Amino acid sequence: MDFSSIQKLRQLTQVDIQSQWQQTSENILTHSFEPEIDKIAPLNDKNYLTWDKGNQVQWLTQNFIIPQDLAGYPLANFSLRLALSWWAEAAQIYVNQKLVQTGDLFDSSARVLLTSSANQGEQITVTLRLVSPGHDIGGLMRSQLIYEREYPEIDPGFIADELEVLEKYLKVFEPDKLTFLEQCIKNVNWENVGDLKIFDHSLLQLRQQIKPLAENIKKRQFHLMGHAHLDMAWLWAIAETWEVGERTFNSVLNLQQEFCDLKFGHTSPILYEWIETNRPDLFQKIKATVNNKKWELLGGMWVEPEVNLVSGESLVRQLFYGQKYFQDKFGTLSKVAWLRARLLGLGGRLVHLRLVLGLLDAGV
């Protein structure tokens, strides 16, 4: 089956810029930096931009000039975002030398708004300051420009996402309908891609044609929730754990201001206790968010433990003290078990979980 038109739709609003970063170890914001072809950052076979481990600083910069169109598709007044994914101890993103977003190993992706209304010829300079982890190489895994239109206007990139999901679903569950989907996609009016009115109408017709194919998908539901995995102790000092936890929680609260539907969940009462003791203002914000049902308390174990080698008594105590903290501080228990490790004897441990919940319900 030929579904190349899905990628063709993406190319109307999305540009991969991973191979165009200029790199230097100097602070680009304070030193003059003249872009040169030999300073283009090389990519590995996975299309990643990497550099040495050990808290090494990498500065990357790129200058964008907004075009009139992409593949003939007009972009005037579209918003423009930069999508990034990195593996870095610390990340700072500057737009026209102004710091607009930060991140780290656990807050490791962003969709940065470059302009809310794209104008042909407008120049935008993006600079990244990335610091490799002490224990691992640093990496920039993805960088992409995405032009978007405000809903309810039709957006080729969004249509491409819908088609890709539908195509994957049909391939697994209803392969007999793939031919019909392919034919519908072929009916897109590519000859008039430069005329928004005609091309938009063509995409709307496409959506109407394929709507019946989505009926069975609508019978299923996914409820998504944000989470940031955080090891309390791994290849860093415990002080870094507290710092990353604080940054992560602040980042979530900030994102919820921008995206009101965002719900988040996190484990490990030991981390909440540190926040309560050392960052009481932040703790009160988290508590309010929990009360507003936009933050879910997960796991109920004092810290995510090793579950293969320890005794049942140890797991009971993990759950007892963890759930007791949640009950005392938030007035609720976690109803979701949260275990990342391979499980042995899961049935017995779930019995322990029910036992602990019962003890707490009884006020023990």
Side-chain angles (χ1 to χ4, degrees):
M1 307 297 290
D2 181 13
F3 288 96
S4 58
S5 291
I6 296 178
Q7 183 59 27
K8 195 173 176 181
L9 278 172
R10 291 195 192 285
Q11 292 171 352
L12 300 182
T13 56
Q14 301 177 14
V15 183
D16 188 331
I17 57 166
Q18 182 76 347
S19 63
Q20 300 171 36
W21 291 102
Q22 301 271 337
Q23 70 177 149
T24 179
S25 58
E26 297 182 352
N27 185 338
I28 301 173
L29 302 179
T30 59
H31 293 77
S32 59
F33 179 73
E34 294 297 330
E36 299 175 13
I37 192 66
D38 62 350
K39 291 181 180 178
I40 292 287
L43 305 180
N44 65 16
D45 56 0
K46 293 183 177 180
N47 209 40
Y48 294 171
L49 188 163
T50 62
W51 65 99
D52 291 340
K53 67 179 182 180
N55 303 116
Q56 299 299 306
V57 177
Q58 184 82 130
W59 288 89
L60 303 169
T61 190
Q62 205 168 146
N63 186 54
F64 310 113
I65 301 177
I66 295 176
Q68 178 179 348
D69 60 70
L70 285 178
Y73 185 73
L75 300 172
N77 301 319
F78 280 47
S79 64
L80 174 60
R81 293 183 182 272
L82 173 63
L84 299 169
S85 297
W86 59 79
W87 180 246
E89 181 78 18
Q92 295 172 316
I93 305 168
Y94 298 84
V95 177
N96 295 332
Q97 297 195 323
K98 179 182 178 181
L99 179 64
V100 297
Q101 193 159 335
T102 61
D104 51 45
L105 289 174
F106 303 99
D107 187 8
S108 59
S109 62
R111 294 180 78 253
V112 180
L113 180 65
L114 300 182
T115 178
S116 57
S117 182
N119 294 306
Q120 181 185 1
E122 180 181 357
Q123 297 191 39
I124 301 172
T125 300
V126 173
T127 301
L128 310 179
R129 181 184 184 272
L130 303 173
V131 182
S132 63
H135 66 283
D136 199 2
I137 61 173
L140 180 68
M141 285 79 76
R142 181 177 71 119
S143 48
Q144 185 180 47
L145 292 177
I146 303 175
Y147 292 88
E148 296 177 326
R149 295 174 79 183
E150 290 289 334
Y151 180 83
E153 298 292 339
I154 202 77
D155 186 310
F158 184 76
I159 297 294
D161 290 339
E162 289 185 318
L163 292 172
E164 183 176 19
V165 170
L166 185 56
E167 183 255 331
K168 289 181 177 179
Y169 172 82
L170 294 179
K171 187 178 292 185
V172 175
F173 297 104
E174 301 179 58
D176 56 303
K177 297 180 180 179
L178 283 169
T179 300
F180 176 73
L181 175 61
E182 184 179 25
Q183 186 57 51
C184 291
I185 296 174
K186 285 182 178 179
N187 291 335
V188 172
N189 190 343
W190 291 104
E191 293 181 2
N192 290 287
V193 70
D195 188 318
L196 283 182
K197 185 176 181 179
I198 296 176
F199 192 70
D200 286 356
H201 181 68
S202 173
L203 294 182
L204 287 171
Q205 283 187 316
L206 168 63
R207 293 192 80 201
Q208 287 299 120
Q209 288 177 313
I210 65 175
K211 268 187 177 181
L213 298 178
E215 288 301 317
N216 288 332
I217 294 180
K218 293 179 180 178
K219 296 177 182 177
R220 298 167 170 82
Q221 284 186 322
F222 290 94
H223 298 278
L224 303 180
M225 179 178 65
H227 173 68
H229 174 65
L230 174 58
D231 289 307
M232 291 296 104
W234 187 38
L235 298 177
W236 47 64
I238 191 66
E240 292 183 58
T241 301
W242 307 136
E243 179 186 350
V244 170
E246 179 185 357
R247 288 205 309 264
T248 300
F249 286 2
N250 270 315
S251 177
V252 169
L253 294 172
N254 290 334
L255 285 170
Q256 287 179 329
Q257 295 298 312
E258 184 177 357
F259 304 99
C260 60
D261 292 331
L262 172 61
K263 293 188 178 180
F264 180 77
H266 210 279
T267 63
S268 304
I270 187 175
L271 179 56
Y272 290 88
E273 183 189 56
W274 185 90
I275 296 290
E276 178 190 14
T277 303
N278 297 278
R279 302 293 185 269
D281 292 345
L282 175 57
F283 184 78
Q284 290 304 317
K285 292 178 182 177
I286 294 171
K287 196 170 182 179
T289 309
V290 171
N291 291 337
N292 290 334
K293 301 189 182 303
K294 296 182 66 175
W295 187 304
E296 186 169 346
L297 305 171
L298 300 175
M301 293 183 171
W302 184 246
V303 66
E304 292 182 26
E306 163 63 51
V307 296
N308 291 333
L309 303 178
V310 296
S311 66
E313 172 70 14
S314 175
L315 292 176
V316 167
R317 290 183 181 276
Q318 280 277 2
L319 287 160
F320 183 81
Y321 291 114
Q323 292 281 45
K324 188 174 188 304
Y325 179 85
F326 281 160
Q327 181 70 66
D328 291 346
K329 301 301 180 178
F330 296 93
T332 187
L333 301 176
S334 174
K335 297 180 181 180
V336 178
W338 188 274
L339 298 171
R340 291 185 65 250
R342 293 185 298 273
L343 299 181
L344 299 174
L346 175 60
R349 282 160 192 167
L350 290 181
V351 170
H352 290 312
L353 173 59
R354 287 192 290 270
L355 171 63
V356 174
L357 291 174
L359 290 172
L360 287 169
D361 283 341
V364 177

